[in-house]
Amino acid sequence: MQPQASSGHVASYYAASSNSTSERPMLAGDVECDVCVVGAGFTGISAALHLAERGHRVVVLESVAIGFGASGRNGGQIVNSYSRDMDVIEKQNGAETARALGAMAFEGNQIIRQRIEKYQINCDLKEGNLFAACNKKQWEGLKEQKALWERYGHQQLELLEGKEVKREIGSERYVGALVDHSGGHLHPLNLVLGQAAALESLGGKIFEHSPVTRVEHGEPVTLHTPKGRVTAQRVVMAGNAYLQGLLPKLESKAMPCGTQIITTEPLPAELAARLLPNDKAVEDCNYLLDYYRLTADNRLLYGGGVNYGGQASASIEAAIRPKMLSTFPELGDVRVDYAWSGNFLLTLNRLPQFGRINSNVYYAQGYSGHGVTCSHLAGKLVAETISGEETRFEAFAQISHLPMPGGRLLRVPLSAMGAWFYAMRDRLAV
């Protein structure tokens, strides 16, 4: 169990530097609404805000606090597209589905920026992110990725080879990089808190510490919490990796996975500028990838690895600090001030799960590590389909999702074995 901040969040850098520590009330008594959203992370708050803008009466139920899950603990990188790229989507799901998803692959990024501008959200937005190749095979893959994304209309890309990489990353690890000038990075907890405040300004209601204990399906749907009850014409399930037990039919088709992050003490300006001269975010191209960026106060935030089943390492710093030092050896004497983990939801095909249960309970989850942008897209698509515009939501909903191999008992060790295999391929560059 990780230590908790006073707000109910884990004791992360984000919780320590959040713009607001205000708590919302616990639900007590009976409430009626048009749409009840379960989960106050990016998906839930994005959906709720889009719905409120369309005139729906919205109530959000959150089991702990706004942004408690992955939305308030992630690497803060605005990365375009999906965890599976468009060529794989086309091969597995056909050209029509690939075209539909490709038309939306860069929209989540735009939604985030629109939200920040429209509602004046202070979340330390910075421009640009890079994909860094650790070997020549990965470098060839980046060249293919650039051509693929450009085929789907994304033109803000630049390849850097050899010594050119030093323009962006002060490390010897990489043979090349792909810069996405439309990407970026930010403070994710402040982003979701800012959108929550925007929702409330439009009349939406958010109840924290109000876990849903039971769902009575029907028309309307009734959701029970420990001290209250919500009656809604429609429901959006948006708890992602923290929605255990409420969508039992989907649990076999996804698995919570943990990722771990450390954040250093504030670095001298000269040192920070040597590490990341243009202050862009970075992720490498390994299967078990590393990702890092500078915060607004010049800390290096560094994450990596995957814990299948969602269990954190006994010492997060011991697990992640060696990764940081392999990239930046000069940080050997730098203090780590924060270390935390959080769960994301992994699907077998690495594509998100969208759909509905009966005719009035919607869900969107399973972003498989690409949740910052895709969750914002998901919220918009949920609002569209509830408002009668179903085409774009259905493009995702018609994708089939198979159960994770091994069932509940064996899915974790089997996934870990698969990850070990791909990690060895990364090391051997085969």
Side-chain angles (χ1 to χ4, degrees):
M1 181 70 69
Q2 294 182 77
Q4 303 289 303
S6 59
S7 61
H9 292 89
V10 299
S12 68
Y13 166 74
Y14 297 134
S17 57
S18 67
N19 292 337
S20 173
T21 57
S22 299
E23 292 192 24
R24 274 66 174 184
M26 178 188 297
L27 176 66
D30 292 352
V31 175
E32 294 184 2
C33 62
D34 298 328
V35 184
C36 180
V37 177
V38 179
F42 283 149
T43 302
I45 294 298
S46 175
L49 182 52
H50 280 289
L51 286 162
E53 289 173 333
R54 290 170 173 261
H56 297 274
R57 296 177 302 144
V58 184
V59 168
V60 180
L61 297 177
E62 165 56 44
S63 63
V64 184
I66 296 167
F68 171 79
S71 300
R73 306 191 207 181
N74 62 75
Q77 299 204 22
I78 302 174
V79 179
N80 283 304
S81 195
Y82 314 107
S83 187
R84 277 284 187 253
D85 224 331
M86 300 311 306
D87 55 342
V88 179
I89 294 172
E90 182 171 348
K91 182 178 180 181
Q92 293 180 348
N93 299 280
E96 183 177 349
T97 296
R99 280 193 297 271
L101 269 60
M104 297 182 271
F106 310 100
E107 189 173 344
N109 170 17
Q110 298 165 14
I111 294 168
I112 290 170
R113 294 173 187 277
Q114 290 163 1
R115 290 309 193 210
I116 292 171
E117 181 177 0
K118 181 175 182 178
Y119 294 107
Q120 294 298 291
I121 299 172
N122 178 14
C123 57
D124 304 333
L125 176 63
K126 299 181 182 182
E127 300 298 333
N129 71 282
L130 295 92
F131 305 94
C134 300
N135 54 58
K136 289 188 177 181
K137 181 182 178 182
Q138 293 178 0
W139 168 239
E140 293 301 318
L142 288 180
K143 290 190 283 187
E144 293 173 1
Q145 180 179 332
K146 180 175 183 289
L148 181 65
W149 281 16
E150 288 174 342
R151 183 156 63 88
Y152 281 89
H154 190 50
Q155 304 296 325
Q156 296 173 273
L157 303 167
E158 180 185 4
L159 285 168
L160 305 176
E161 185 173 11
K163 294 181 180 180
E164 292 178 330
V165 179
K166 288 291 189 69
R167 190 188 84 193
E168 299 289 350
I169 312 172
S171 175
E172 302 294 334
R173 285 189 67 185
Y174 309 114
V175 301
L178 176 63
V179 184
D180 184 354
H181 292 286
S182 76
H185 54 110
L186 45 68
H187 190 302
L189 181 56
N190 281 337
L191 175 61
V192 71
L193 288 170
Q195 291 180 86
L199 168 65
E200 291 170 323
S201 75
L202 298 178
K205 298 184 182 299
I206 303 172
F207 296 96
E208 294 182 323
H209 306 289
S210 302
V212 175
T213 57
R214 183 162 60 94
V215 179
E216 287 185 52
H217 292 276
E219 295 184 7
V221 182
T222 302
L223 300 101
H224 297 261
T225 70
K227 295 187 177 181
R229 183 171 61 180
V230 176
T231 302
Q233 299 303 312
R234 293 180 175 87
V235 171
V236 179
M237 293 292 192
N240 212 21
Y242 294 85
L243 200 61
Q244 295 94 335
L246 292 180
L247 294 177
K249 292 182 179 179
L250 294 179
E251 284 192 7
S252 66
K253 298 180 179 181
M255 178 174 61
C257 293
T259 187
Q260 301 168 113
I261 298 175
I262 60 175
T263 306
T264 69
E265 63 185 310
L267 304 178
E270 291 182 3
L271 175 56
R274 288 204 309 272
L275 303 182
L276 294 167
N278 292 305
D279 206 2
K280 293 182 174 64
V282 180
E283 67 174 63
D284 68 32
C285 297
N286 287 330
Y287 183 83
L288 300 179
L289 58 84
D290 288 4
Y291 52 91
Y292 51 89
R293 64 187 186 87
L294 291 171
T295 64
D297 54 353
N298 272 354
R299 301 172 186 269
L300 185 69
L301 185 151
Y302 201 106
V306 174
N307 288 310
Y308 293 93
Q311 299 299 316
S313 299
S315 173
I316 295 170
E317 181 177 349
I320 302 302
R321 188 181 183 96
K323 297 175 179 289
M324 180 182 74
L325 296 182
S326 70
T327 306
F328 300 117
E330 61 267 49
L331 299 183
D333 295 329
V334 169
R335 185 182 72 243
V336 169
D337 281 350
Y338 301 95
W340 71 95
S341 69
N343 291 346
F344 62 92
L345 195 64
L346 182 75
T347 65
L348 186 61
N349 62 5
R350 305 297 193 271
L351 291 176
Q353 297 173 331
F354 289 20
R356 59 172 59 82
I357 298 170
N358 301 326
S359 61
N360 57 356
V361 177
Y362 302 81
Y363 59 85
Q365 61 178 34
Y367 308 109
S368 302
H370 270 61
V372 174
T373 52
C374 195
S375 60
H376 283 83
L377 172 66
K380 183 177 182 180
L381 299 189
V382 168
E384 287 177 0
T385 196
I386 287 176
S387 302
E389 305 162 19
E390 299 182 353
T391 303
R392 301 204 312 155
F393 183 86
E394 287 300 322
F396 284 94
Q398 57 81 36
I399 296 172
S400 62
H401 289 270
L402 297 174
M404 301 293 289
R408 293 179 64 87
L409 291 178
L410 296 179
R411 63 183 182 175
V412 170
L414 287 177
S415 297
M417 287 173 62
W420 175 85
F421 170 75
Y422 283 106
M424 290 302 297
R425 286 186 59 178
D426 287 336
R427 293 180 184 178
L428 300 173
V430 297

